[in-house]
Amino acid sequence: MLPAHEDDWSDSDDDVGSDVETSVLLGVPDGLVQSDVDISDAAVSRIGGYPAFLPSREPPFSSSHCKVCSNPCELLVQMWCPFEESPMDRALYVWGCAKPSCQGKSGSVRAWRGLRRNEKYAAKLEIKLAKKRAAEEAKAQVKALAEQQQHMPKKNPFSMSALPATNTFGIGAQMFGDTSPPLTGSAEPKPNKNDECDNENDDASDDESSSEDELLTAMASVTVTDSPWKTAPSYPPFYLSTVSEYLPPQLKSKVPPGTQITDRLVNEGSKGDKDKDISWASEAYEDSLEMDYVFERFTKRVAYEGEQCVRYELNGTPLPFSSDKIFSSLFPSPPAPTVPVTKGAFTVVNTPKRTYFPTNIQACPVCHGKRVFECQLMPNLINVVKRPNDAGKQATDEERRKAVERALKGGASDGSGMDWGTSMVFSCEKDCCFDDNGKEAKECWREEIVLVQAAI
């Protein structure tokens, strides 16, 4: 049962409705991975276990080492997450140290992205983009022709020059369609049947591709059977399934007429899903020290789906765990409102609000592009990987509820070692893939930034 919604409610009955789908995808555990084929498939997202690498060369084993204690870490999650309209297969790997003295420190959780060019998909993508460019050029030509005709001088329809060429049977010829009608500006180019057939064939070939072909495409290039990666500590592997996040509708309180609500990031061109509700992302935080509204909002939001281990929203807004230094860097404090010197006692000053505006995230060192929020690990992940002996046991709803509460309050009281509130991953917005000489490469292995908020 969903907890009670405590936000301000409108007195309009029209606001009451079903749950709203947000732009966030949630990663939830979905049973143990027992298939060797799935373990070797980089396209199978997982919690724990051993990594299935995309690059043909095995990444350095030091990629998984904690930067605090220099010991190898356990794999927390591996996610299959290619970018849209990108020819690169892509997987994200996150390792975390379980040593108590390393918890909450920078470098105790590390994230890497593995890229590999998919030649088969790249060829299809190039054809798709070429057709798209051709369609845009044809549309531009039609528009230019229409504008040209609009600027042509108008003719007198009753003048002799406006009549068609001399024809003894002129009227009859026009009635039987011997003369071609003039081209108007509204004329649109007819779709090419060959293009339509090509599109249908492309779709059909995609649909008819067997699961074996898809498996070979995403199969890991490197096995870890005879490598140092096999000696690393590991958790039992669980499938990581994806579900959409649903929240109760945000019922808006009445605002004065003419009031404008703006989103700083949206106005600056950030990407968003127009078909899904992202209004929660622009909600501001109270700039108050009396109580931790950040943690209160975190626990309230997570309670709607307590099983979530990962929140994924590329170029979206993270859900901060508490009001610490990381929160202040991502949600900077707004400037204090000015108060008139005279009659200050009668001035109403609104409480300052914080909005998501990250400015201190280091740019990608390879392409120098901006890094954006991609995903974050949630406290329930600690609860999932902590029970190697009870991995196959199905927990009751009450047991899961209590486990989530323990994870939110302290994380590692069960002895698993890990103890943090959330770990946020920020990745290169361009998803660049270059070699050491700065040239485009067919595969690469790059580390991204992780911000760890310690447990309260």
Side-chain angles (χ1 to χ4, degrees):
M1 180 176 179
L2 294 177
H5 201 277
E6 298 176 357
D7 289 346
D8 294 335
W9 294 85
S10 170
D11 57 0
S12 174
D13 293 337
D14 295 336
D15 291 333
V16 179
S18 58
D19 290 351
V20 178
E21 181 181 2
T22 72
S23 55
V24 179
L25 295 177
L26 303 179
V28 296
D30 194 15
L32 281 170
V33 181
Q34 297 178 341
S35 170
D36 293 336
V37 175
D38 288 345
I39 291 177
S40 301
D41 188 357
V44 176
S45 299
R46 68 199 69 181
I47 296 173
Y50 292 106
F53 295 115
L54 275 175
S56 58
R57 293 179 298 174
E58 183 177 278
F61 185 47
S62 59
S63 301
S64 67
H65 288 191
C66 174
K67 291 184 178 181
V68 181
C69 66
S70 301
N71 291 324
C73 304
E74 291 89 347
L75 178 69
L76 299 182
V77 294
Q78 174 180 333
M79 291 178 288
W80 177 255
C81 46
F83 281 14
E84 291 185 6
E85 297 188 353
S86 170
M88 309 298 291
D89 288 337
R90 183 177 187 273
L92 188 68
Y93 307 80
V94 184
W95 283 271
C97 183
K99 193 174 180 180
S101 59
C102 298
Q103 300 311 300
K105 296 181 180 180
S106 177
S108 61
V109 180
R110 303 181 67 180
W112 297 75
R113 57 183 172 95
L115 300 179
R116 183 183 63 190
R117 184 176 176 84
N118 187 327
E119 297 293 349
K120 182 178 179 181
Y121 181 73
K124 291 183 179 181
L125 183 61
E126 183 60 31
I127 295 174
K128 178 182 177 181
L129 295 177
K131 291 179 179 179
K132 184 178 180 180
R133 289 192 296 266
E136 291 176 350
E137 292 176 359
K139 187 176 181 180
Q141 291 177 359
V142 171
K143 183 178 180 180
L145 180 59
E147 292 178 352
Q148 182 181 0
Q149 291 185 354
Q150 288 178 358
H151 292 84
M152 291 179 62
K154 295 183 179 180
K155 296 182 179 181
N156 187 350
F158 299 101
S159 65
M160 294 300 294
S161 61
L163 296 176
T166 303
N167 189 340
T168 308
F169 304 97
I171 298 179
Q174 294 182 36
M175 291 177 62
F176 289 99
D178 286 352
T179 58
S180 301
L183 181 64
T184 62
S186 61
E188 293 285 346
K190 294 183 179 180
N192 191 323
K193 293 184 178 180
N194 293 331
D195 292 343
E196 293 180 354
C197 294
D198 292 342
N199 290 332
E200 293 177 358
N201 292 335
D202 290 343
D203 295 339
S205 62
D206 291 340
D207 295 338
E208 293 175 0
S209 58
S210 64
S211 59
E212 293 182 358
D213 292 338
E214 296 295 332
L215 183 63
L216 291 174
T217 300
M219 187 66 70
S221 298
V222 177
T223 58
V224 297
T225 305
D226 300 322
S227 74
W229 290 97
K230 197 65 177 180
T231 64
S234 65
Y235 297 117
F238 290 84
Y239 288 106
L240 182 65
S241 296
T242 303
V243 297
S244 298
E245 182 187 44
Y246 289 89
L247 300 177
Q250 293 288 341
L251 304 181
K252 301 178 181 180
S253 58
K254 293 183 178 180
V255 295
T259 301
Q260 293 183 352
I261 302 175
T262 60
D263 190 320
R264 194 174 188 178
L265 290 180
V266 172
N267 292 339
E268 294 184 2
S270 63
K271 298 179 181 178
D273 196 331
K274 297 181 179 179
D275 298 331
K276 297 180 181 179
D277 180 29
I278 60 172
S279 60
W280 70 269
S282 59
E283 292 178 6
Y285 285 87
E286 295 283 349
D287 192 18
S288 173
L289 299 178
E290 294 180 359
M291 68 175 298
D292 196 343
Y293 290 101
V294 178
F295 179 71
E296 181 183 18
R297 178 179 170 185
F298 181 91
T299 54
K300 180 179 179 181
R301 185 69 178 271
V302 175
Y304 293 121
E305 177 50 74
E307 292 291 320
Q308 60 182 282
C309 294
V310 178
R311 296 177 64 84
Y312 190 94
E313 188 187 15
L314 182 63
N315 206 1
T317 304
L319 183 64
F321 181 76
S322 61
S323 54
D324 58 1
K325 292 182 179 179
I326 291 178
F327 168 75
S328 298
S329 66
L330 299 177
F331 297 81
S333 180
T338 57
V339 180
V341 177
T342 60
K343 298 183 180 180
F346 302 96
T347 302
V348 178
V349 180
N350 295 325
T351 304
K353 301 282 187 178
R354 294 174 181 257
T355 56
Y356 179 60
F357 191 65
T359 56
N360 298 325
I361 302 297
Q362 182 183 358
C364 175
V366 180
C367 70
H368 306 291
K370 182 175 66 173
R371 276 191 170 110
V372 297
F373 171 76
E374 182 171 4
C375 66
Q376 66 186 104
L377 307 185
M378 305 301 287
N380 190 47
L381 178 65
I382 299 175
N383 179 53
V384 172
V385 301
K386 74 179 179 64
R387 300 184 307 261
N389 296 329
D390 300 335
K393 180 181 177 181
Q394 186 69 25
T396 63
D397 292 340
E398 182 65 17
E399 290 174 341
R400 287 196 295 267
R401 184 185 66 80
K402 291 182 178 180
V404 170
E405 289 179 353
R406 288 196 301 269
L408 289 173
K409 292 179 180 179
S413 59
D414 48 32
S416 64
M418 287 190 296
D419 185 14
W420 38 257
T422 188
S423 298
M424 310 173 189
V425 179
F426 295 81
S427 305
C428 175
E429 185 180 34
K430 299 179 181 178
D431 200 31
C432 63
C433 185
F434 298 100
D435 57 19
D436 296 336
N437 298 322
K439 297 182 180 179
E440 290 190 6
K442 293 187 176 181
E443 60 181 44
C444 71
W445 179 252
R446 293 286 181 264
E447 185 171 15
E448 297 296 358
I449 288 180
V450 181
L451 299 182
V452 182
Q453 286 192 286
I456 297 178

